[in-house]
């Protein structure tokens, strides 16, 4: 964004990582110093400790750290033997990496539309597009809400497909009484700073209940080496830094508390939206009974979304974000897939209507009241009926 016009000063940021750091400053700095004193930066003790903590938290047999959430997807696809000419089924309403990573391996992303309520893969549409080349399904637990995993796992088992969960936004989310990342053959997590567990830079993690796959992942992330300077299969350089692991270990202890705060904020938004009678203009995120949403994003659907967003920023100094403004099947980079507008109508409509409100754990009730009051002010000024 080029801005010659000065941006208004925000009332509060969209995500306040400084507020979070202030609460864990000493522990974090101690962890950083510990790593600096050890001068052991690649994998090693800190990474092993963090992997053990993460596996225990998620409830998976194994956890394998790597360089980023995107690399977690790459390593999972490689470990499961996907190769050029294969197909994976996924959603067009997600972050680019979900589909660009398979594409880098020559694996074709085959899109299926989303459900309008959950923004997740519409499981009922998968069966019809399975081809002899389909090898895997990559469900995304978008915004922190699990995809509908029970029918998905049944379908995958029946059709002999792998499931690789893109759980980048959903660490700690449950489907039934089980964590996401433990359903598929692998779960992929990201520690990008804006995720619910964010590092001081890039980082990622894979989960699996298969010790054989875990061993393959550990080799693949380290150039494929079986023993130093001996290689049976080519891998990549994608290791979790000891510094990141040490910082993430500190933060993982607080994740349940932060998740509870996000969920409480989501509840309060729902109350405020109902109190202001805004349901006819905006639609809060849905949370099916069998799921625990971890609200990496609190994404509403809004009438006159772009005008609302501009009003909130310019008149009220309230930041919002759009995840995602353009679905993947229409991106230029995927022109070679030959899609056209109208092919995935739910994803296309969502990209025109969604708006993410600030939801971070440190957000106060007063700030939330200001957000919803401002939304109410907008619709008062732009009075339109329920169908506008
Ligand atoms: C963040 C994210 C990724 C990629 O994670 P990085 O750590 O940024 O590489 C992949 N998929 C989804 C859905 C994400 O939100």
């Amino acid at each position: 964004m080029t801005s010659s016009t000065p941006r208004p000063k925000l009332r509060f940021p969209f995500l306040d990582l400084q507020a979070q750091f202030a609460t864990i400053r000493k522990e974090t700095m101690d962890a950083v110093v510990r790593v600096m004193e050890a001068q052991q930066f690649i994998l090693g003790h800190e990474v092993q400790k963090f992997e053990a903590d993460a596996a225990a938290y998620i409830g998976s047999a194994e956890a394998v750290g790597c360089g980023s959430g995107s690399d977690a997807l790459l390593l999972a696809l490689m470990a499961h033997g996907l190769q050029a000419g294969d197909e994976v089924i996924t959603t067009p309403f997600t972050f680019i990496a979900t589909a660009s990573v398979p594409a880098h391996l020559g694996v074709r992303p085959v899109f299926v539309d989303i459900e309008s309520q959950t923004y997740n893969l519409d499981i009922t549409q998968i069966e019809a597009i399975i081809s002899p080349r389909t090898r895997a399904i990559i469900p995304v637990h978008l915004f922190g809400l699990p995809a509908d995993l029970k029918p998905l796992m049944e379908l995958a088992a029946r059709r002999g497909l792998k499931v690789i969960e893109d759980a980048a936004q959903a660490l700690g989310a449950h489907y039934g009484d089980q964590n996401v990342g433990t359903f598929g053959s692998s779960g992929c997590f990201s520690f990008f700073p804006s995720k619910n567990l964010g590092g001081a830079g890039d980082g990622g993690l894979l989960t699996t209940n298969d010790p054989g796959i875990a061993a393959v992942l550990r080799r693949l992330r380290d150039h494929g080496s079986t023993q130093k300077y001996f290689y049976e299969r080519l891998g990549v350089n994608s290791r979790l830094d000891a510094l990141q692991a040490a910082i993430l270990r500190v933060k993982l202890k607080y994740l349940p508390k932060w998740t509870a705060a996000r969920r409480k904020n989501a509840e309060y938004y729902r109350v405020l939206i109902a109190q202001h009678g805004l349901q006819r203009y905006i639609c809060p995120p849905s949370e099916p009974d069998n799921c625990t949403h971890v609200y990496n994003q609190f994404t509403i659907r809004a009438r006159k979304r772009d005008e609302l967003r501009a009003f909130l920023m310019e008149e009220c100094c309230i930041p919002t974000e759009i995840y995602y403004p353009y679905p993947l099947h229409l991106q230029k980079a995927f022109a070679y897939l030959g899609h056209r507008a109208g092919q995935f109508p739910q994803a296309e409509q969502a990209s025109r209507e969604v708006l993410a409100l600030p939801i971070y754990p440190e957000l106060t009730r007063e700030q939330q009241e200001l957000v919803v009051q401002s939304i109410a002010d907008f619709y008062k000024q732009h009075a339109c009926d329920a169908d506008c």
Side-chain angles (χ1 to χ4, degrees):
M1 222 172 285
T2 56
S3 66
S4 44
T5 41
R7 285 252 150 215
K9 181 149 169 40
L10 297 178
R11 301 284 188 92
F12 44 87
F14 181 74
L15 170 64
D16 195 346
L17 289 173
Q18 286 171 337
Q20 185 185 69
F21 179 58
T23 67
I24 54 167
R25 182 184 190 102
K26 173 146 191 340
E27 277 176 282
T28 307
M29 295 317 285
D30 287 351
V32 169
V33 168
R34 193 173 69 231
V35 175
M36 293 311 291
E37 283 175 346
Q39 289 287 304
Q40 205 278 296
F41 297 116
I42 307 291
L43 296 175
H45 173 76
E46 296 286 348
V47 172
Q48 280 167 15
K49 287 279 196 196
F50 174 66
E51 288 177 343
D53 291 354
Y57 175 71
I58 296 165
S60 63
E62 302 264 2
V64 179
C66 66
S68 69
S70 305
D71 281 358
L73 288 163
L74 175 69
L75 290 164
L77 293 167
M78 289 173 72
H80 292 294
L82 272 87
Q83 46 186 314
D86 290 341
E87 294 177 359
V88 293
I89 293 172
T90 193
T91 159
F93 191 60
T94 177
F95 181 61
I96 184 74
T98 313
S100 66
V101 170
H104 275 301
L105 292 173
V107 173
R108 189 178 183 88
V110 175
F111 297 119
V112 162
D113 209 356
I114 55 167
E115 301 174 334
S116 63
Q117 297 283 308
T118 63
Y119 306 109
N120 281 328
L121 211 52
D122 184 346
I123 311 300
T124 64
Q125 296 190 32
I126 292 178
E127 191 110 41
I129 53 142
I130 294 175
S131 87
R133 293 167 180 240
T134 309
R135 295 285 316 280
I137 306 171
I138 308 181
V140 179
H141 309 306
L142 199 69
F143 306 139
L145 178 67
D148 199 1
L149 286 162
K150 187 165 182 284
L152 177 78
M153 294 309 299
E154 284 168 3
L155 169 66
R158 188 154 43 77
R159 302 299 302 259
L161 302 174
K162 300 282 182 209
V163 173
I164 294 167
E165 295 176 66
D166 183 341
Q169 302 182 2
L171 181 56
H174 290 194
Y175 182 89
D177 54 11
Q178 203 179 321
N179 266 265
V180 300
T182 61
F183 288 82
S185 13
S186 304
C188 302
F189 294 90
S190 165
F191 306 122
F192 185 82
S194 69
K195 303 293 159 87
N196 285 15
L197 179 64
D202 279 312
L205 185 87
L206 289 127
T207 48
T208 178
N209 287 325
D210 181 337
I213 291 289
V216 172
L217 290 169
R218 288 180 203 285
R219 288 201 293 274
L220 288 176
R221 73 174 169 184
D222 195 17
H223 297 288
S225 79
T226 39
Q227 76 187 77
K228 211 170 184 187
Y229 306 128
F230 288 86
Y231 314 91
E232 284 167 24
R233 181 181 168 191
L234 300 182
V236 296
N237 177 357
S238 180
R239 299 163 302 212
L240 186 65
D241 289 340
L243 261 174
Q244 295 302 338
I247 293 167
L248 290 166
R249 254 181 95 200
V250 170
K251 294 183 78 172
L252 182 60
K253 288 188 298 179
Y254 296 93
L255 186 62
K257 192 177 118 189
W258 292 335
T259 300
R262 283 176 182 271
R263 289 180 51 75
K264 202 166 152 223
N265 291 346
E267 246 354 273
Y268 194 47
Y269 267 139
R270 286 182 209 285
V271 168
L272 292 170
I273 287 167
Q275 273 175 5
H276 283 85
L278 287 170
Q279 301 98 316
R280 47 203 290 253
Y281 303 117
I282 64 177
C283 183
S286 74
E287 182 170 1
D289 283 342
N290 59 344
C291 291
T292 309
H293 198 321
V294 295
Y295 295 103
N296 180 238
Q297 300 301 339
F298 185 88
T299 301
I300 61 169
R301 245 182 222 275
R303 298 198 187 277
K304 298 182 182 285
R305 191 266 318 265
D306 293 332
E307 291 106 304
L308 171 63
R309 181 168 195 233
F311 176 87
L312 290 174
M313 178 57 94
E314 277 141 36
E315 313 280 323
C316 314
C317 302
I318 291 174
T320 58
E321 294 288 347
I322 297 173
Y323 304 111
Y324 296 91
Y326 206 52
L328 298 190
H329 65 286
L330 300 179
Q331 298 285 348
K332 261 200 190 133
F334 281 129
Y336 74 94
L337 295 173
H339 291 297
R340 53 191 156 65
Q343 225 173 336
F344 303 109
Q346 292 300 339
E348 291 168 31
Q349 189 177 346
S351 64
R352 290 189 298 266
E353 295 182 348
V354 291
L355 190 67
L357 307 181
I359 187 73
Y360 54 89
E362 299 78 13
L363 192 71
T364 66
R365 284 170 82 90
E366 293 68 33
Q367 289 167 333
Q368 289 192 273
E369 285 157 12
L370 189 66
V371 171
V372 179
Q373 180 61 55
S374 303
I375 294 174
D377 291 346
F378 171 81
Y379 287 111
K380 230 171 276 158
Q381 285 181 24
H382 297 75
C384 54
D385 61 28
D387 299 319
C388 66

